């Protein structure tokens, strides 16, 4: 790769940071964080997790505490601001050459998740937009599942795709900081961040071999998220 960001793309990653926003996710968050810890352990690099507890009224913070640094937030922030808040907390104490990962509280990552991201980083990626599979698709009506499947297939090729999911997103810390983090948008923060990165000349890849599993629930926490999409497909 040549250009102003070539040094970033060829630099070795020294640490991994994972940000998980959560609002009243005590029921699902434990499974998410346990899976993230396993994936971090398998990567062979120093790692840290930050859970941004967004105005929680249940036991989310208690569930998170054994696994992650917890940031208690009481302000009405956008999801983009919440992810950036957690990222900045971690990056303040991790090396500059950190791979920053984003996922969601209702997501479970495979043991090789972090290693999969780092494989693409070693090949020169500044950001990796992975794929999300539904972990319990049988809960959806057949027509909704069919529409969702068709939607995903329409943007998926043999080895790359055109989708973006905040539940499976990775970016070099240097690039993240340079573009100002996630934009302060109420939804679609992953699309907005990737647009910033591309506009700044960073290399974004969207491979089909970096995958996580996310709940197929239709009542989610973030406006405009996957749950809203699934509910809309049934309207």
């Amino acid at each position: 790769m040549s250009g102003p960001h070539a040094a970033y793309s060829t630099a070795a990653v020294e640490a991994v940071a994972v940000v998980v926003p959560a609002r009243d996710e005590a029921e699902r968050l434990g499974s998410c964080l346990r899976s993230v810890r396993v994936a971090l352990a398998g990567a062979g690099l120093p790692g840290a997790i930050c859970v941004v507890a967004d105005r929680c009224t249940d036991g989310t913070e208690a569930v998170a505490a054994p696994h992650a640094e917890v940031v208690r937030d009481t302000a009405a922030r956008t999801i983009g601001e919440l992810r950036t808040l957690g990222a900045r907390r971690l990056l303040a104490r991790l090396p500059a050459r950190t791979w920053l990962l984003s996922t969601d509280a209702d997501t479970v990552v495979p043991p090789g998740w972090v290693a999969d991201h780092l494989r693409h980083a070693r090949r020169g990626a500044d950001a990796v937009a992975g794929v999300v599979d539904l972990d319990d698709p049988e809960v959806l009506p057949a027509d909704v599942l069919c529409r969702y499947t068709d939607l995903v297939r329409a943007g998926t090729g043999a080895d790359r795709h055109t989708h973006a999911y905040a539940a499976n997103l990775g970016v070099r810390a240097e690039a993240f900081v340079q573009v100002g983090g996630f934009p302060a948008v109420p939804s679609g923060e992953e699309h907005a961040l990737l647009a910033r990165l591309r506009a700044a000349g960073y290399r974004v890849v969207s491979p089909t071999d970096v995958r996580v599993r996310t709940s197929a629930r239709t009542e989610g926490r973030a406006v405009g998220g996957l749950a809203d999409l699934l509910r809309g497909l049934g309207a």
Side-chain angles (χ1 to χ4, degrees):
M1 177 181 177
S2 61
H5 307 307
Y8 291 165
S9 294
T10 57
V13 174
E14 299 175 353
V16 180
V18 185
V19 176
V20 187
R23 186 174 186 187
D24 292 340
E25 292 281 12
E27 181 180 351
R28 295 179 180 271
L29 182 60
S31 296
C32 170
L33 295 178
R34 286 189 292 272
S35 72
V36 169
R37 287 182 62 180
V38 170
L40 281 172
L45 290 175
I49 309 170
C50 180
V51 171
V52 183
D54 175 28
R55 296 168 288 167
C56 293
T57 59
D58 65 352
T60 292
E61 293 174 36
V63 171
H67 306 285
E69 178 178 354
V70 180
V71 174
R72 178 184 297 175
D73 188 68
T74 59
R77 302 182 195 270
T78 66
I79 186 61
E81 291 172 307
L82 291 170
R83 291 192 196 275
T84 297
L85 176 64
R88 288 178 174 162
R89 176 66 66 93
L90 291 177
L91 296 181
R93 59 183 175 83
L94 290 173
R97 294 176 179 175
T98 290
W99 188 258
L100 175 64
L101 286 160
S102 166
T103 193
D104 288 339
D106 65 335
T107 297
V108 173
V109 308
W113 180 57
V114 175
D116 288 341
H117 272 266
L118 295 181
R119 183 177 69 256
H120 289 281
R122 287 193 297 271
R123 294 173 180 170
D126 295 306
V128 175
V131 177
V132 165
D133 298 310
L134 300 180
D135 70 353
D136 45 359
E138 68 280 354
V139 305
L140 296 172
D143 60 332
V144 173
L145 180 57
C146 183
R147 292 185 192 112
Y148 179 73
T149 301
D150 287 345
L151 183 66
V152 172
R153 283 177 179 165
T156 304
D159 58 2
R160 57 186 170 180
H161 64 95
T162 61
H163 306 292
Y165 304 92
N168 190 3
L169 186 65
V171 58
R172 290 182 186 273
E174 301 102 321
F176 181 82
V177 171
Q178 285 292 322
V179 302
F182 286 98
V185 293
S187 64
E189 72 280 10
E190 64 278 80
H191 294 277
L193 174 62
L194 294 176
R196 281 185 172 183
L197 291 166
R198 291 186 176 108
Y202 290 102
R203 184 186 176 205
V204 177
V205 299
S206 301
T208 56
D209 62 352
V210 181
R211 313 184 77 91
V212 301
R213 301 190 70 82
T214 295
S215 169
R217 65 187 181 184
T218 56
E219 296 295 334
R221 306 292 187 265
V223 175
L226 179 59
D228 278 2
L229 171 62
L230 293 174
R231 186 170 64 254
L233 290 175

